[in-house]
Amino acid sequence: MKSARILFNNETLAVTVNEQDQVVTQQGKTLEEGSFTWLPPCEGKMFVLAINYADHAAELSFAAPEEPLVFLKSKNSLIGHDQKTYRPDNIDYMHYECELVVVIGKEAKNVSKEDAMDYVGGYTVGNDYAIRDYLENYYRPNLRVKSRDTCTPIGPYIIDAKDIKDPHNLMLRTYINGELKQEGNTKDLVFNIPHLIAYLSDIMTLTPGDMIFTGTPEGLADVKPGDVVITEVEGVGILKNTIISESEYLNNLNN
């Protein structure tokens, strides 16, 4: 099953998505694309992995980490599928990061690696944009790099964990204006999903709706206003968003 959240007639609705990728309300009504706005499918805590692919570590001239490098992001950065992300004015480099996102399905504390997958509720697609101009340390990205409004598209929906046979063998791809720019596979994760759940649940209690952004493979490129960016995780979903300028974003807010 695929579950999502949308804004329809100024009301937030929990909906399902059928095999034809049509949105269906709890009353069984099928909605036409364009009649609603996609929202982030969940809004829990966001745990984000830095350089959790060996090829990405090499791309940045870093050794692969010896323990998970995790930072938190605020939900102000979340937006849904087919929405707009702004690029701050007067910067030199902003890049996408296509990621498999693990969504926690039930409360987890001090979970073992052996039991960890039982706590996965589902999966979705995330795009963890970064403003590289302000990056002081790849291991600990600061607020200006990662937590800006609109800079974390996620969705379109959550697919149930049982519907993904092997989350550790999924292709990830990013396209800019239809051109393939990034490609990798979750089999190359430095720390796999059970390891991450065990590690994080040892630090704090994980609750339903919490998200673990598992990292991005190599293949980063700068994005500019007007670019259409599509991030795809095999079997999980296709997430689309468009880059706009900061001035356009602020103008939209004021109007």
Side-chain angles (χ1 to χ4, degrees):
M1 188 178 80
K2 303 170 186 175
S3 58
R5 295 169 64 249
I6 64 168
L7 185 66
F8 179 67
N9 290 339
N10 295 317
E11 183 180 359
T12 297
L13 301 180
V15 297
T16 58
V17 179
N18 63 24
E19 293 301 317
Q20 292 74 43
D21 281 339
Q22 297 171 313
V23 168
V24 182
T25 69
Q26 293 179 350
Q27 292 73 36
K29 180 181 180 181
T30 300
L31 301 180
E32 292 186 7
E33 190 74 33
S35 68
F36 59 87
T37 300
W38 293 95
L39 299 175
C42 47
E43 291 186 311
K45 299 186 290 292
M46 279 191 286
F47 303 93
V48 185
L49 272 292
I51 51 178
N52 198 33
Y53 283 79
D55 59 359
H56 182 47
E59 180 181 32
L60 302 175
S61 299
F62 276 92
E66 297 182 359
E67 67 173 286
L69 300 171
V70 188
F71 58 94
L72 292 168
K73 294 185 73 168
S74 174
K75 69 178 184 180
N76 67 282
S77 67
L78 283 173
I79 58 171
H81 170 63
D82 207 18
Q83 304 305 308
K84 296 176 180 178
T85 291
Y86 84 85
R87 175 189 168 107
D89 293 338
N90 304 314
I91 65 163
D92 292 326
Y93 202 109
M94 173 178 173
H95 63 74
Y96 50 80
E97 294 185 8
C98 178
E99 307 199 22
L100 172 67
V101 179
V102 178
V103 182
I104 297 299
K106 60 182 180 179
E107 187 171 296
K109 178 61 180 170
N110 295 328
V111 172
S112 68
K113 293 179 184 177
E114 292 73 21
D115 295 333
M117 295 303 289
D118 294 338
Y119 293 83
V120 178
Y123 304 94
T124 190
V125 184
N127 185 351
D128 180 29
Y129 282 107
I131 315 300
R132 191 179 289 189
D133 298 51
Y134 302 113
L135 194 58
E136 299 166 359
N137 185 329
Y138 280 105
Y139 295 111
R140 297 288 183 264
N142 62 43
L143 288 173
R144 294 189 297 175
V145 176
K146 288 285 189 174
S147 285
R148 294 172 182 267
D149 296 345
T150 76
C151 276
T152 316
I154 188 171
Y157 43 71
I158 298 169
I159 186 167
D160 280 0
K162 63 180 176 59
D163 294 327
I164 300 298
K165 292 182 180 180
D166 184 4
H168 297 103
N169 187 20
L170 302 174
M171 293 299 299
L172 291 80
R173 297 182 178 92
T174 300
Y175 301 83
I176 299 180
N177 303 323
E179 181 180 354
L180 179 63
K181 291 289 189 178
Q182 181 183 38
E183 189 170 48
N185 192 294
T186 56
K187 67 183 179 183
D188 296 321
L189 287 169
V190 177
F191 300 104
N192 66 15
I193 295 166
H195 189 113
L196 295 174
I197 292 174
Y199 177 84
L200 292 169
S201 70
D202 183 58
I203 298 171
M204 68 177 77
T205 300
L206 307 180
T207 54
D210 285 352
M211 296 158 275
I212 304 174
F213 285 67
T214 56
T216 197
E218 69 173 338
L220 305 182
D222 191 22
V223 292
K224 307 284 188 181
D227 285 345
V228 176
V229 181
I230 291 176
T231 47
E232 176 182 1
V233 178
E234 178 186 3
V236 176
I238 298 173
L239 174 66
K240 172 186 171 184
N241 89 299
T242 302
I243 306 299
I244 62 173
S245 67
E246 182 175 10
S247 56
E248 181 179 351
Y249 170 70
L250 294 175
N251 184 60
N252 291 341
L253 280 183
N254 293 330
N255 294 327

